[in-house]
Amino acid sequence: MRLPSPANKSLHLPDSRDYRPGSATETNSCQDVREVPLNLRSASFMKPDGLDIFYQKYTEAYGILVVSSKHVPDDALRRACYVLRFMLADHSVVREWVYRMSGRIGVMGKDEVTNDIPEHRHYSDWWNRRTRGLGSSYNMPVTTAGEENILCYQKDNYRSQDIMVHELSHCIHFLGAAVGIQGWDGRLRAAYAHAKKTGLFEDTYFMENAQEYFAEGVQSYFNVQKFVPYPDGVQGPIATRDALKDYDPDLYNVIKEIFPCDNTYLKRCESNRTQEDAQQLRMNCEPKGRCKDNHPACEFWSGTNKCTENQRYMSFECRKSCGICTADENCFDEHVNCGFWASTGECAANPDYMLFSCKKSCKVC
């Protein structure tokens, strides 16, 4: 059975047969760093080419890999795994698509460089001087960061920045939200265009492009952005969640759509692995009520008994055709601002839109 089509069909994605088999879980084994399972060396299990022999250490959150060479301390993998666990807790659709697209984290040792990472071997030595972390893309679904930044070593050129949060934001953007959430990438790009037009974030890295606008915004959202009182070409004063919400509510809302649970991020220089492992995270806080089918063949499959024969897949992707939606799943808001709009009288003033897109806030269900 083929997997559902991505929500954003304009993206250039692999054929669905190239998706990773299985589904994301809701568990983790972050503290258990061990040898790489043999099946993950195979292109059948880890796209596009299987894990290179360079990777000798492994742990996971939600079935999504954190890997490194034998030279990286276990604590670096555990901390990277915590960031993965934290950032993918909030939204089940984003988590599922990062898994399907073979998203993973590769930790660089402090003495390793960018093109030591197998997926980045084709990069020139310029990249070794330029960066200590890269985000995922569709063809290279590995997100990287350096041991020294992950574990907050004093000797780190980027010590004031949480590189793992920034680079994993790119993974969440390209492999998760843009693929799985209808219209999300368009909302992000519209917010970026508005910010650029109105002069927001001038002379900062926020304005490099839409993807950096999002990743820099996520750093501010989780209060791990470097603060400088005046823009210096890279950073600026919008370095906290409250500041971001006041300064650019459009970006704030786009980010909150991905991270709606309001979990507290344990900062890398202020926490330890025991505290991170003990943290209980709220999960799956995205708006419920998605009583729908995610594949055009759902109705046909349900008529051929697939709801019973392939229950795991069908209960996630074909809820409407399988008739398993709850009452709550039919009562939902389509937009993060529905509650605010309803409070300002828009249910009566704009009923054609509001009574369809903001059913819950307008109390029509």
Side-chain angles (χ1 to χ4, degrees):
M1 186 181 294
R2 291 171 68 87
L3 290 169
S5 301
N8 189 342
K9 297 181 177 63
S10 66
L11 296 171
H12 297 291
L13 300 174
D15 186 278
S16 62
R17 289 168 294 185
D18 291 330
Y19 295 152
R20 183 182 172 190
S23 295
T25 70
E26 293 191 358
T27 62
N28 76 90
S29 59
C30 287
Q31 297 302 303
D32 181 17
V33 178
R34 61 255 197 212
E35 292 183 1
V36 174
L38 186 60
N39 67 321
L40 297 178
R41 303 286 187 195
S42 168
S44 299
F45 286 88
M46 184 54 51
K47 310 300 180 180
D49 302 312
L51 287 185
D52 190 273
I53 197 67
F54 170 86
Y55 295 118
Q56 292 292 309
K57 292 187 175 185
Y58 155 86
T59 189
E60 59 78 35
Y62 314 126
I64 299 166
L65 284 57
V66 179
V67 291
S68 76
S69 74
K70 64 182 180 181
H71 302 295
V72 177
D74 291 357
D75 250 16
L77 280 83
R78 294 185 182 112
R79 171 64 195 186
C81 191
Y82 165 75
V83 181
L84 174 66
R85 180 169 76 92
F86 178 89
M87 293 183 70
L88 287 178
D90 295 56
H91 205 297
S92 62
V93 173
V94 172
R95 183 168 63 247
E96 180 67 16
W97 275 103
V98 170
Y99 176 96
R100 292 179 182 183
M101 300 291 284
S102 291
R104 53 192 181 263
I105 289 175
V107 179
M108 287 185 289
K110 63 182 178 61
D111 297 318
E112 295 170 345
V113 293
T114 294
N115 61 22
D116 284 327
I117 296 294
E119 295 88 341
H120 298 157
R121 281 175 181 159
H122 63 287
Y123 286 165
S124 70
D125 288 345
W126 179 86
W127 286 94
N128 297 336
R129 300 186 297 272
R130 164 68 176 80
T131 184
R132 290 296 293 162
L134 290 171
S136 298
S137 67
Y138 306 120
N139 296 322
M140 290 182 291
V142 63
T143 295
T144 61
E147 163 197 340
E148 72 284 356
N149 187 265
I150 291 171
L151 293 180
C152 200
Y153 293 170
Q154 287 293 330
K155 189 176 180 181
D156 173 18
N157 292 335
Y158 301 97
R159 195 168 189 271
S160 63
Q161 297 287 298
D162 194 320
I163 301 299
M164 191 79 264
V165 167
H166 182 98
E167 301 302 346
L168 192 56
S169 295
H170 291 316
C171 170
I172 287 169
H173 176 176
F174 288 113
L175 304 189
V179 182
I181 302 176
Q182 185 71 43
W184 181 87
D185 192 61
R187 291 190 287 278
L188 169 65
R189 294 181 187 281
Y192 172 71
H194 178 264
K196 194 169 186 178
K197 181 178 180 180
T198 55
L200 298 180
F201 300 109
E202 281 189 341
D203 200 26
T204 72
Y205 197 49
F206 277 83
M207 287 292 98
E208 181 74 8
N209 50 46
Q211 52 262 41
E212 299 301 347
Y213 175 67
F214 174 68
E216 289 288 302
V218 172
Q219 286 183 257
S220 296
Y221 188 83
F222 290 125
N223 302 308
V224 292
Q225 180 67 267
K226 180 181 179 181
F227 171 84
V228 296
Y230 302 101
D232 64 0
V234 182
Q235 271 80 45
I238 310 304
T240 66
R241 183 178 300 192
D242 288 343
L244 179 67
K245 184 177 182 179
D246 290 341
Y247 184 74
D248 189 351
D250 290 338
L251 177 57
Y252 174 89
N253 285 330
V254 166
I255 293 171
K256 189 171 179 62
E257 191 174 345
I258 306 302
F259 305 109
C261 285
D262 289 328
N263 290 311
T264 299
Y265 182 66
L266 301 180
K267 297 181 181 181
R268 72 194 201 287
C269 299
E270 300 174 8
S271 66
N272 58 50
R273 307 301 82 79
T274 301
Q275 293 169 322
E276 293 156 8
D277 185 49
Q279 186 181 24
Q280 298 294 311
L281 297 175
R282 292 180 292 277
M283 293 185 67
N284 307 331
C285 303
E286 72 268 23
K288 300 301 187 289
R290 297 299 188 259
C291 185
K292 64 178 183 178
D293 293 331
N294 291 328
H295 195 284
C298 282
E299 187 174 357
F300 169 76
W301 288 335
S302 69
T304 59
N305 205 35
K306 295 300 182 186
C307 297
T308 301
E309 293 178 2
N310 196 353
Q311 186 176 7
R312 181 184 179 195
Y313 176 90
M314 295 290 285
S315 64
F316 186 82
E317 302 294 354
C318 299
R319 295 182 67 78
K320 183 177 180 180
S321 289
C322 288
I324 57 175
C325 297
T326 65
D328 286 344
E329 285 182 282
N330 290 302
C331 186
F332 60 92
D333 291 334
E334 289 279 5
H335 197 283
V336 293
N337 286 335
C338 282
F340 170 74
W341 291 333
S343 71
T344 60
E346 288 296 318
C347 296
N350 190 7
D352 289 345
Y353 177 86
M354 293 292 290
L355 300 187
F356 178 79
S357 298
C358 299
K359 293 178 183 177
K360 185 175 181 180
S361 290
C362 289
K363 299 180 180 178
V364 296
C365 57

